[in-house]
Amino acid sequence: MANLTLVVTPRGIRCPLACDYCYNSDPHLKQRIGSRNMSTEVLGILLGKFMRYPQNKYEIIWHGGEPALAGIPFYKEVVRIQQDLASTLELKAPVINHFQTNGILIDAEWADFFKSNGFKVGVSIDGPQDIHDSHRVYPNGKGSHEEAMRGVGFLKDSGTSLGAGTVVTRKTLENPVRDFEFMRENFKVFDFSPCFTAMASDGTWTQEITPHEYADFVKTVFDYWFELDDPNIKVRSFKHYIEAALGHIPRICSMANGCHRYLSVDGQGDVYPCGRLHGIPALCFGSIKDQTFEEIQLREDYLVYQEQAHHLDVDCETCKWRFACNNGCTASRYTETGEILPKTPFCEATKEILEHVSNKVKQVQS
């Protein structure tokens, strides 16, 4: 049985920021249900059933929206319940809490809490201030870089396990190496993800960058990182590309048919496939309040979803990178009509990146 990781949104999609590319406002996912606060009762039910699900580690990603809106007392209760259950159930498996935040609410108290309780924190930072503040803004349009980096400072001072994620936008493409250098100067572990759509000032969604442009960005930055040869700087996606270049299946859900390894739970206990598809009524697998995780995984709608998620297009059958792509992330194939496309729209860009990384690795091996 594969380990199951939970993505929990204790305050739903509520967030102090109004980032114009946020997938919680994705035009293809207009059906998404909004914010729902998690009660102590639902929290206890969720953790009780999760920690009775047999596995060799228990990982939870506290997500949103902004999960810090739940407040420190909520997470103190999380830790208390986890410790009580671990003792009562005599669990030997570790319990690992991840926390994904925009950083603006993080202060010394939060940082000390994370450090004291072993939370692994990921902060969303889009590089230098001018790039970050072009998209990651408050509802009044004010940029959030200063507050986010202040939160990063508290986390660093406390010694909290810290990583970062940066979204690649049109402005990032102006100088890819500058963006990388900012991340390298401030973080030891980070990653990049593409922004393909963003909301324009008139409220319409427009294309921000193309898959090909993202592939060009990755190739440029990968080469720069590769030549640096600094083992202290870890870029997560680059590691997965190298795994593929060496003939191994990358250890990440979006490249390894990993939909069965995740479930997302909202504030009232409703269960969805993952964080990216969280809150879509058609993809709700009922509530954790009246079923176990084992029962969820035997539901007909869950099995139908898994079959669709693991579908390989006919082109995949003859592709040399099938083992390292597996038709990509299911969320990128999901449409507003509820259809899951038979083929990832990022197929060619993914192959372009993998070919480039493979050639780079071969040069070193020869």
Side-chain angles (χ1 to χ4, degrees), residues 107-118:
D107 56 17
E109 185 181 6
W110 271 109
D112 290 343
F113 170 81
F114 290 140
K115 175 62 177 177
S116 298
N117 293 283

Side-chain angles (χ1 to χ4, degrees), residues 13-306:
I13 62 175
R14 187 179 301 135
C15 181
L17 298 183
C19 307
D20 61 10
Y21 57 54
C22 181
Y23 66 71
N24 283 322
S25 300
D26 190 321
H28 300 300
L29 303 179
K30 292 177 182 176
Q31 319 97 314
R32 195 185 299 274
I33 294 172
S35 301
R36 298 179 174 187
N37 294 339
M38 180 169 284
S39 67
T40 302
E41 178 188 7
V42 172
L43 175 64
I45 294 171
L46 171 63
L47 294 178
K49 291 185 177 180
F50 180 54
M51 294 179 69
R52 286 178 172 84
Y53 181 85
Q55 47 190 358
N56 58 31
K57 63 179 177 179
Y58 294 88
E59 289 196 79
I60 301 179
I61 303 171
W62 301 97
H63 213 280
E66 174 49 53
L69 288 172
I72 291 176
F74 177 86
Y75 293 101
K76 286 183 176 179
E77 186 67 4
V78 166
V79 173
R80 184 194 67 77
I81 294 173
Q82 289 174 341
Q83 291 174 342
D84 287 351
L85 284 166
S87 176
T88 300
L89 301 172
E90 298 183 343
L91 295 179
K92 305 301 182 185
V95 179
I96 305 168
N97 290 294
H98 302 265
F99 195 92
Q100 184 61 40
T101 178
N102 57 39
I104 65 173
L105 299 178
I106 303 304
D107 56 17
E109 185 181 6
W110 271 109
D112 290 343
F113 170 81
F114 290 140
K115 175 62 177 177
S116 298
N117 293 283
F119 277 57
K120 300 177 183 295
V121 180
V123 182
S124 299
I125 298 287
D126 286 357
Q129 184 167 7
D130 60 314
I131 298 176
H132 180 102
D133 285 351
S134 64
H135 292 274
R136 300 191 63 81
V137 298
Y138 292 92
N140 65 3
K142 177 182 178 293
S144 62
H145 190 269
E146 182 178 347
E147 291 87 351
M149 289 303 295
R150 184 177 62 219
V152 168
F154 285 120
L155 294 167
K156 286 183 175 180
D157 290 344
S158 71
T160 296
S161 175
L162 178 63
T166 184
V167 176
V168 177
T169 63
R170 172 67 49 191
K171 197 166 182 61
T172 318
L173 300 182
E174 296 174 4
N175 193 334
V177 171
R178 174 177 175 244
D179 190 64
F180 175 88
E181 277 297 326
F182 175 89
M183 299 305 292
R184 181 166 80 105
E185 289 170 7
N186 289 280
F187 305 96
K188 298 299 183 185
V189 180
F190 55 93
D191 204 2
F192 301 99
S193 59
C195 171
F196 292 123
T197 58
M199 186 176 289
S201 57
D202 62 0
T204 60
W205 285 83
T206 59
Q207 185 168 58
E208 180 72 8
I209 66 173
T210 68
H212 177 71
E213 286 173 325
Y214 181 66
D216 281 346
F217 169 87
V218 170
K219 291 187 293 182
T220 298
V221 176
F222 178 87
D223 287 353
Y224 184 80
W225 169 82
F226 199 80
E227 294 302 321
L228 283 175
D229 195 23
D230 184 348
N232 294 315
I233 303 300
K234 297 177 174 59
V235 183
R236 296 186 187 95
S237 56
F238 292 178
K239 169 188 157 187
H240 300 312
Y241 297 145
I242 290 176
E243 287 173 344
L246 294 174
H248 306 299
I249 298 175
R251 288 172 289 180
I252 182 173
C253 62
S254 61
M255 299 176 73
N257 270 345
C259 282
H260 61 292
R261 301 201 304 267
Y262 290 82
L263 282 173
S264 179
V265 183
D266 74 2
Q268 72 172 20
D270 286 345
V271 182
Y272 301 90
C274 72
R276 291 296 303 272
L277 295 172
H278 177 93
I280 299 174
L283 295 179
C284 179
F285 305 133
S287 173
I288 195 60
K289 290 185 288 188
D290 51 29
Q291 57 188 336
T292 66
F293 286 105
E294 291 91 340
E295 289 169 338
I296 290 170
Q297 292 173 321
L298 293 175
R299 288 172 59 110
E300 182 178 358
D301 52 358
Y302 176 85
L303 294 173
V304 168
Y305 169 80
Q306 290 297 332

